[in-house]
Amino acid sequence: MALETLSPDWEFDRLDDGSQKIHAEVQLKNYGKFLEEYTSQLKRIEDALDDSVGDVWDFSLDPIALKLLPYEQSSLLELIKTENKVLNKVITVYAALCCEIKKLKYEAMYEHLGELLTILITLDEIIDNHATLKDHWTMYKRLLKSVHHNPSKFGIQEDKLKPFEKLLLKLECQLLDGMIFQACIEQQFDSLNGGVSVSKNSTFAEEFAHTLRTAFANVEAKLGEPSEIDQRDKYVGICGLFVLHFQIFRTVDKKFYKSLLDVCKKVPAITLTANIIWFADNFLIQKIPAAAKLLDKKSIHTVKTQRENFLQQRAQSLTKDMQSYYVFVSSWMTKMESILSKEQRTTKFSEDLSNRCNVFIQGFLYAYSLSTIIKTTMNLYMSMQKPMTKTSVKALCRLVELLKAIEHMFYRRSMVVADSVTHITQHLQYQALHSISVAKKRVISDKKYSEQRLDVLSALVLAENTLNGPSTKQRRLIVSLALSVGTQMKTFKDEELTPLQLVLKKLDLISELTERVRAQCDSCFLYWHRAVFPIYLDDVYENAVDSARLHYMFSALRDCVPAMMHARHLESYEVLLECYDKEIMEVLNEHLLDKLCKEIEKDLRLSVHTHLKLDDRNPFRVGMKDLAHFFFLNPIRFFNRFIDIKAYVTHYLDKTFYNLTTVALHDWATYSEMRNLATQRYGLSMTEAHLPSQTLEQGLDVLEIMRNIHVFVSRYLYNLNNQIFIERTSNNKHLNTINIRHIANSIRTHGTGIMNTTVNFTYQFLRKKFYIFSQFMYDEHIKSRLIKDIRFFREVKDQNDHKYPFERADKFNRGIRKLGITPDGQSYLDQFRQLISQIDIVNFEELVKEEGLSEETQKAARQLDSVLSDLTRNFAEGTEYFKMLVDVFAPEFRSPKNMHLRNFYIIVPPLVVVANMTMPCDICESPWDSKTVFSFFQTLNFVEHSISCKEKLNKKNKSGAAFTDDGFAMGVAYILKLLDQYQEFDSLHWFQSVREKYVKEIRAVAKQQNVQSTNQDEKLLQTMNLTHKRLEVCLQEFELLYFSLSSARIFFRADKTATEESQEKKEKEEEPGKASNGDLSNSTPAEPVVK
C-alpha cells in the first residue's frame, strides 16, 4: 500500500528541533566506538597468533594454516577450447601426459621426460647407497636356501618355493640391482610388426638432439650463478635424456658429450635427495662406455681431481661464504620486513608489486643457494670419506640457520605474503596478456592466412583465455604448451619474447612460492649428518651472545621427523622417533645444558667466595663469558616437549642448593646468598629451600645421654642464659646442641617415664662425683690450708672491710701448686674445679622439668578441687627435680660426720681464680688419687682462660675455642646450697674485692698513661694501652662470672636458709586443706650417699 504524501498545508506545522540529527550522531558515535573495539580485539587476536611460544614457529602445531597453492576445478578439456580441433587434441594430449609425470611442470615435453628419468636415476642411487638393504637382502636369500633344504621344518610346501624364488629373482633384477633406469631406456621402442621405427626416424633424432643442446645451453649458462633456480635438476634430466638418445639411435655427439662432462668441473656433484649424491661423470662413463673410450684417460682423471680440489676450495672459502650470506640474508630480511610493513600506495601500486615480487624471488634464490652449498658440501665429505674440520662444521651450521631464517621469515609474514602473491600473479598475468595481445594483433593484421598461421593464432587465443583465471599449475602448463606453438613464425620479436619468458618464469615461481621455499629449506638431510650437532652446541656455548640461533637449528632438526614417519622397517615409526628424540636430548644435555649448569654454579660459588684466594677472574685478562643470554631465550619446541633452558638451570640450582644445604646446614647463608646472586645476575627465579639454619633431626636422645653421661659431661658445655648444652669441639663445621626441643622429642618418643629414669641416672652420677669431692676436701693438705684461711679471714675481716683479699686466693693457688702438678701443668685445685664443673649435670634435669611439666599444667593442677589436693601435691612434688636433688644430698652434706665439707665456701675464691675446665671422661670414673688423676688440662687463670677461648673463635685454629661455660657457676651454686653456705660465702664479699682490685689497677694504669703521654714514649704508651685494655676485659669476665653465679643461685632458692625452709615445710604440713601456693618443691631426703 502506497503512503500518502503530506499536503502542503501541513508543511509549516512540521517541527524540526534537531533531535533526529542528535540521535543519528549518537548512533554513529556508538557504531564508531564498536568498530574501534572490534578492531582492537582483532589486533589482539592477530598479535596472539603472530607470537609463538618460541622464537621460531613449529609448522606442525598450527591449528589453521594458509595454503597459497591455487587449485584448478576445471578439466583440461574445458580449459583447452579453440576453433582449431586438431590443436585442441594435441595440446590436450601433451598437457595430460605432462600432468602424469610431475606436479611441477616445465615448458617442453622433453624437460618433463627428463624429470621422469631423474626419478628413476634417484631410485637407483638410493638402492645403491643403501648398504643395510643389500645386506639384509643377502641374509634373506640365505634363509630361503635353508628353507629349501628342509621345507617341513618351516611349514612351507615345497612346490611353492620355486615360484617364490623366481618372484624374488625378478624383484632383485628389476629393483635391487640398481638397474631401474637401465631397464627403462633398454625397452623395445621400435614396432615389431613393421610399424613405426623410432630408431630410424632421423627427423625425430635430429629434433631430439637439437632439443637437448638447446636445453643444455640454457642450463649451463645458469649453473653456479646467483640466479640459479632448478638448473641442477634439469642437468640430471638432460644427462638421462642423452643416455636415452644414445640407447635409441646409437650415435654419440662427442663434442656434446665432452660439454656434459665439463660441467662436472663447475658442479662436481649434485644432491638428488637427502644424503644421496650423484656424480655425472661416473653416470655417463658407466651408461655410455663407448663414448668414454673416445676420451683420453687424462680428461677423465682431471674431472675426478677437480672434485677433490673443489672440496678443498670449498672448505677454505666456507667461512667467508658464510659471512657473505649472513650479510645478504640479514639485509634481505630487513628489506622484506620494511616492504611488507608499508601500506601499498594506490598511485604506485604496480611499482610496489614489482618490488615485492623481486624481494620474494630474491629470498627464494638465497634459499636455493644456501641449500645447494650445504647439501653438496656435507654429502661430498660423506661420500668421499674426508674428515671435516670444526671450522667447516660451524660455518655449515650457520648456513643451516640462515636457511631456516629465510623459511621462517616467509612463514612469519605469511598473511601479508599471501595477500601480495594474489596481486602479483594478477599483475604478471596482465603483463603476459599484454605481450600476447600485441603478438596476436600482429598475426591478425597479416592478411596471408595459412594453416600454420591459424594454428599459431589459435595457440595465442588459447594462451589468452587460459591466463584469464587463477594461476593454477594446469593453466600455466597449458600456457606453456600453447606458447611453444604460438612463438613459431616469429610472432614475437626478440625484445618481446625474452620479457614474456621472464614473466612466465616469475609467474611459475610466485604461484608456488610457499611450496618451493619450503622444499628448498627442508633440512631433513641433517638426519644423516647428526654428528655435527655436538660441535654446533659447543660453539653455541662458547658464543652465548648468539644463543638465539638455537631455535633455527632445532627447527632444522624437526624437518627430519616427517620423513621418519614413513619408515616401514620397524613395527612402528614411533620407535624411530623415540630413538631420535633421545639421541638429540642426550647430546643437548651433555654439550650445552649440563655444561651451562656447572658453569653457572661455579660462577656463583666463586663470586660468593671472593674473600678466598682464588684464580684470577679479571675479565680484562682471562676474558668474560656472559651466559645470561641463554636465559632470555623463549622455550624451544622439540617433539612433545618445550626445552626451557632457564627453567632447566633454575631447577638444577634449586636441587643442588637444597641437597647441599641439607647435608651441611651451616652453609645455609652461603647458598641463600648464591640464590640472590643468581636472581640478580641471571634473572633466575630461585625457590627458597625453607630449611632452618640448624638441624631438624631429633638430636641426641635423652636415654642415650644418660647411658653415656660421663661422655656427655666431658664433651658439652652449658649456657645458662639460653638453657642449652653446646658441644665443646667437633671435627665437623658445626657444633651439636641439646635444648628443650630435643628433650621434648625424646619425651614424645619414649613417654614421660624417662623423666624418672633421667633423675636416677643423674643421682648415680652425682654420687660418684661427690665421693671424689669428699675425698679432696678431707685431704690434710687441703683441709689444713682451708682452716688456716678461715682463721685468717676472721682475724683480718674488720681491717679489710669484711672482704676476702684477692692476694690470699692467689697465695692459696701458689701453695697448692707446690704440692705437685701433673705432666700437663695442672695442680690439684685445677682438677677439683673441673670436678665441680661436671656437677652441672643437674642443669640437664632442669631442661627435663621444663619440658615435662609446663606452667599451664601447674596452674590447672592448682585449680583442682580440695578433694584432689593430695593427688595434686604428689603430682607437683614429682616434678621439682632441682629440689629433689638438693633434698636427697643435703642431709648427708650437713651431717656432723662430714664436717670437713663445711670448709668449702673458703675454697671458692681460689677456684674462681683458676680456670674452669672439664675432666676427660676416662678420669671421671676413677677414685681420687692426688698423683694420677686429672692429668689432661693446663692451669690457667679463669679470666685468662675465658678470654683465650673467646679469642680463638676468630682464629683459624679453633682448638679449645668456646664462648660459654656456665657449668662451674652452677656447680658452685649447687654445692653451696647442699652445704647451706650461701651466707658464709656472701660474707667474703669476694667479687666486690676483685672489682675493687681491678678498678684500682685500671686507675693506676690510666695515671701512668697520662704521664707517659707527656714524655712521648710511643712504645711504652702502646704497652700501657694494651695493659689497660686487658684489665678491662678481665674485669668484664669477673662480672660475667658473678652474674652467672647469681643466676645459678636462683635455681636453688638462695634467698632462704635451711632453717627457713624447714619452717616453711612444717607450716605446709599443718595446713593440708589449703591449696598449694606455687611452691611444689617438697621432697623427703634420701638416705646418705657420702660416707
Side-chain angles (χ1 to χ4, degrees), residues 811-847:
K811 181 181 178 181
F812 185 93
N813 247 328
R814 291 195 301 269
I816 295 299
R817 289 184 65 83
K818 292 178 182 179
L819 296 178
I821 58 176
T822 64
D824 294 331
Q826 287 192 324
S827 67
Y828 297 142
L829 196 60
D830 298 332
Q831 299 163 11
F832 181 66
R833 183 182 57 259
Q834 295 162 11
L835 173 68
I836 294 176
S837 298
Q838 294 189 358
I839 297 176
D840 72 344
I841 188 62
V842 296
N843 302 298
F844 192 77
E845 300 304 316
E846 177 64 14
L847 293 183

Side-chain angles (χ1 to χ4, degrees), residues 476-495:
R476 284 183 279 109
L477 173 62
I478 294 172
V479 171
S480 177
L481 294 172
L483 288 180
S484 64
V485 178
T487 54
Q488 297 176 6
M489 297 182 65
K490 296 183 179 181
T491 52
F492 290 89
K493 297 180 181 180
D494 293 339
E495 61 272 15

Side-chain angles (χ1 to χ4, degrees), residues 382-445:
M382 178 180 285
S383 176
M384 299 176 66
Q385 296 183 349
K386 298 283 185 180
M388 194 185 305
T389 62
K390 284 189 176 182
T391 306
S392 300
V393 171
K394 294 175 184 177
L396 287 170
C397 290
R398 286 275 188 172
L399 294 178
V400 172
E401 294 168 2
L402 294 177
L403 185 65
K404 300 308 292 184
I406 293 174
E407 179 183 18
H408 287 279
M409 182 66 195
F410 274 109
Y411 193 82
R412 189 167 58 85
R413 307 293 293 180
S414 57
M415 298 297 293
V416 184
V417 171
D419 183 58
S420 300
V421 163
T422 304
H423 293 95
I424 291 172
T425 53
Q426 291 178 356
H427 181 62
L428 293 174
Q429 286 174 328
Y430 164 76
Q431 292 179 350
L433 286 170
H434 178 71
S435 299
I436 295 173
S437 176
V438 173
K440 189 178 73 170
K441 289 180 181 179
R442 187 178 295 115
V443 173
I444 294 174
S445 62

